[in-house]
Amino acid sequence: EGKPTNAAALTARLIDRLIRPIFPEGYRYETQIVASVLSADGAFPIEMLASLGASAALHISDIPFNGPTAAVQIGRIDGQLIINPTPQQLEKSDFDIIVAGTRNGLLMVEGECKFVAEADMLAALKFGHTALTPLFNAQDELREKFGSKAKRAFKAPTIDADFKTKAESLLSPKIEKALAIKEKMARYESYAAAKTEAEATLLAGLDDKTLALRKKELGTVIEDLKYKLSREIILSKALRVDGRNLTTVRPIANEVALLPRAHGSGLFTRGETQVLGTVTLGTGDDEQMVDSLLGTITNRFMLHYNFPPYSVGETGRFFGQSRREIGHGNLAERAIKAILPDFEKFPYTIRIVSEVLESNGSSSMGTVCSGILALLDAGVPIKGNVAGIAMGLIKEGDRVAVLTDILGDEDHLGDMDFKVAGTAQGITAVQMDIKIDSVSFQVMETALNQAREGRLHILGEMEKV
């Protein structure tokens, strides 16, 4: 009746992240999908059914949607991969991964595991994609039985060709020059100056109605140029927005014990992303009790992630944690959970709070790193050190570039956001979103191996302090 629970918000994100890339480019009609749980048996993963229901509803409708999509949960018991495990099976599993996509390939991966090798992760992704086929077939059959309703016509808005040519001719050299500026805010100021100059040159003397339209179109031209030029520089010169090559991690600085009253604190800085992690230890009375579909759940470990507007140089109102914050906090919590000591050996309730002080790329992985530093500062006897890294992808035809430690801009202009966290021994959490039709498993293998190299480098920097 009130605000959705964290579990509901996370399920909504799983549905949204899968279907969003399947709508046509430029589709702006308000579209709402409501997933209501009418009955639950406590055995089958209900998130998978909600995702399937959302896709099926879109697939049989007249809404433009290039589906169907589907998702499955993957577990592994005694080396054997299984689909949609029960809660009892998950307790014995070293995998808990959600794999989702279309017939063409994967679009989303989310989950946790216990120190799994990159090759095993890749095998699980392939296994999961194969398991989606019956779900696609069932939705196609349903659509046929429903009468195969024609999709409504949709044409993306276009920009006046003459105006676009003039704007691109004027702006291309200015945007390319701005892309060479390493510092984020200075780069954005250069974009703004280019836009102001273009407005003065191209929009003079227009009536109010035409002026409003051209202003909007000019903004679109600038965004398109930033997208195309930055991608071309990466693919042709292997040079990124901030001057790095494809595999270099930004400079890292770490500090611990900077808050004297906290049980543990750690500050992790990577480039222009900085995260403060704090650890508080409590007794069994401090366990969190959650009333869920499966009954009452108690949490002895909690991680809360806060992303204030000032971290990206903006103003904004505070309404508690957003869906994005809940999702990023959940990813970091999963990444760290695997290395926590057994309750019998360390009978404390553990709470980590992540405060993102500045953000330019992967504050969720910065949260993992600052959380580990804070746990160590608090004297928690963890089973290993965890670091996380975000990988990106630029793909144009046969030209492919996999990027290590992506910036916020590279997340926006890239075709993939692939976050991998783990120890030196193996992966503890993954999250992947793909914005294009699909990527090959060969590209995923490259990304996983490149992520491992970056993760080991970050762990080495963390362990210095």
Side-chain angles (χ1 to χ4, degrees):
E1 292 79 12
K3 182 182 175 182
T5 63
N6 279 10
L10 292 170
T11 301
R13 275 175 56 85
L14 285 173
I15 296 169
D16 178 66
R17 286 161 47 207
L18 174 57
I19 62 177
R20 187 178 289 270
I22 305 300
F23 286 94
E25 188 74 30
Y27 188 78
R28 293 291 180 269
Y29 291 95
E30 287 191 353
T31 306
Q32 185 175 36
I33 294 169
V34 180
S36 301
V37 181
L38 304 180
S39 179
D41 65 1
F44 196 91
I46 205 157
E47 302 90 341
M48 303 306 97
L49 291 177
S51 179
L52 189 63
S55 172
L58 288 166
H59 196 45
I60 66 174
S61 75
D62 68 344
I63 297 169
F65 177 69
N66 301 319
T69 64
V72 291
Q73 190 170 9
I74 299 172
R76 188 174 72 170
I77 300 174
D78 298 328
Q80 196 73 29
L81 291 168
I82 54 176
I83 295 293
N84 294 329
T86 65
Q88 292 75 26
Q89 288 175 315
L90 273 180
E91 289 177 7
K92 304 173 187 175
S93 173
D94 61 352
F95 256 106
D96 181 4
I97 304 289
I98 293 169
V99 174
T102 64
R103 290 187 190 276
N104 294 332
L106 297 183
L107 287 175
M108 191 195 75
V109 176
E110 172 92 43
E112 61 188 89
C113 40
K114 296 173 183 173
F115 318 111
V116 166
E118 280 72 14
D120 291 346
M121 176 61 68
L122 192 66
L125 299 184
K126 291 178 180 177
F127 176 77
H129 188 250
T130 302
L132 297 177
T133 301
L135 303 178
F136 301 138
N137 294 341
Q139 291 180 76
D140 286 339
E141 184 183 343
L142 181 67
R143 177 170 163 77
E144 284 177 23
K145 289 183 174 179
F146 200 72
S148 297
K149 186 186 288 188
K151 297 294 184 182
R152 68 179 72 169
F154 168 73
K155 186 178 179 182
T158 56
I159 298 173
D160 179 82
D162 184 50
F163 176 75
K164 184 179 180 183
T165 301
K166 289 178 181 176
E168 286 182 341
S169 176
L170 175 67
L171 285 164
S172 286
K174 300 181 188 302
I175 297 298
E176 193 162 355
K177 188 177 179 182
L179 285 168
I181 299 172
K182 294 183 180 182
E183 203 267 317
K184 176 182 173 181
M185 297 314 292
R187 186 165 62 250
Y188 282 25
E189 286 170 11
S190 185
Y191 292 149
K195 184 178 182 181
T196 300
E197 187 178 334
E199 286 177 346
T201 305
L202 299 173
L203 306 184
L206 297 176
D207 60 77
D208 289 347
K209 185 178 179 182
T210 308
L211 179 64
L213 176 63
R214 291 288 179 263
K215 265 193 170 183
K216 189 175 180 181
E217 290 180 340
L218 185 63
T220 302
V221 169
I222 290 172
E223 289 304 311
D224 287 348
L225 282 173
K226 284 159 62 177
Y227 178 85
K228 292 173 185 173
L229 291 172
S230 56
R231 288 170 66 93
E232 182 56 37
I233 291 168
I234 290 169
L235 289 170
S236 60
K237 301 179 182 178
L239 192 66
R240 294 160 67 178
V241 175
D242 59 356
R244 284 180 293 155
N245 62 21
L246 303 185
T247 59
T248 299
V249 178
R250 287 170 289 172
I252 290 171
N254 300 296
E255 189 177 341
V256 291
L258 62 161
L259 300 180
R261 294 287 291 175
H263 291 156
S265 58
L267 185 70
F268 177 83
T269 309
R270 183 195 58 237
E272 294 176 306
T273 295
Q274 185 176 70
V275 185
L276 174 65
T278 58
V279 165
T280 308
L281 304 175
T283 66
D285 293 338
D286 295 313
E287 289 179 3
Q288 183 185 40
M289 295 181 69
V290 180
D291 186 18
S292 76
L293 277 171
L294 302 179
T296 302
I297 297 172
T298 57
N299 293 325
R300 292 176 179 144
F301 170 52
M302 296 156 276
L303 188 149
H304 295 107
Y305 167 99
N306 299 315
F307 192 93
Y310 67 75
S311 67
V312 285
E314 297 175 359
T315 60
R317 298 181 70 181
F318 283 77
F319 288 107
Q321 288 183 305
S322 65
R323 257 179 32 177
R324 177 186 174 277
E325 287 172 292
I326 292 169
H328 283 208
N330 181 65
L331 173 63
E333 185 175 304
R334 287 176 139 180
I336 292 173
K337 191 165 65 175
I339 54 85
L340 294 177
D342 298 331
F343 187 72
E344 292 73 26
K345 295 180 181 178
F346 193 76
Y348 293 93
T349 298
I350 302 171
R351 184 185 185 210
I352 297 176
V353 178
S354 165
E355 300 287 352
V356 179
L357 304 181
E358 185 178 20
S359 180
N360 185 11
S362 195
S363 51
S364 63
M365 295 296 94
T367 292
V368 173
C369 299
S370 67
I372 291 294
L373 293 171
L375 284 167
L376 291 166
D377 181 41
V380 178
I382 60 178
K383 298 173 183 176
N385 297 332
V386 178
I389 192 164
M391 309 298 295
L393 174 73
I394 308 293
K395 184 177 183 293
E396 295 285 352
D398 295 331
R399 297 193 297 165
V400 174
V402 176
L403 313 180
T404 296
D405 179 26
I406 56 173
L407 300 167
D409 284 354
E410 291 171 336
D411 183 6
H412 175 67
L413 63 89
D415 300 319
M416 176 179 77
D417 179 13
F418 194 3
K419 299 183 178 76
V420 187
T423 65
Q425 284 68 47
I427 297 168
T428 58
V430 292
Q431 185 183 87
M432 179 180 75
D433 292 293
I434 293 174
K435 305 168 192 173
I436 54 176
D437 188 73
S438 63
V439 296
S440 68
F441 285 107
Q442 184 180 354
V443 169
M444 287 189 199
E445 183 177 11
T446 300
L448 280 166
N449 291 331
Q450 207 166 301
R452 184 176 186 276
E453 293 172 12
R455 182 173 84 238
L456 293 176
H457 167 73
I458 295 170
L459 279 170
E461 293 298 304
M462 289 166 62
E463 286 166 359
K464 288 178 183 177
V465 295

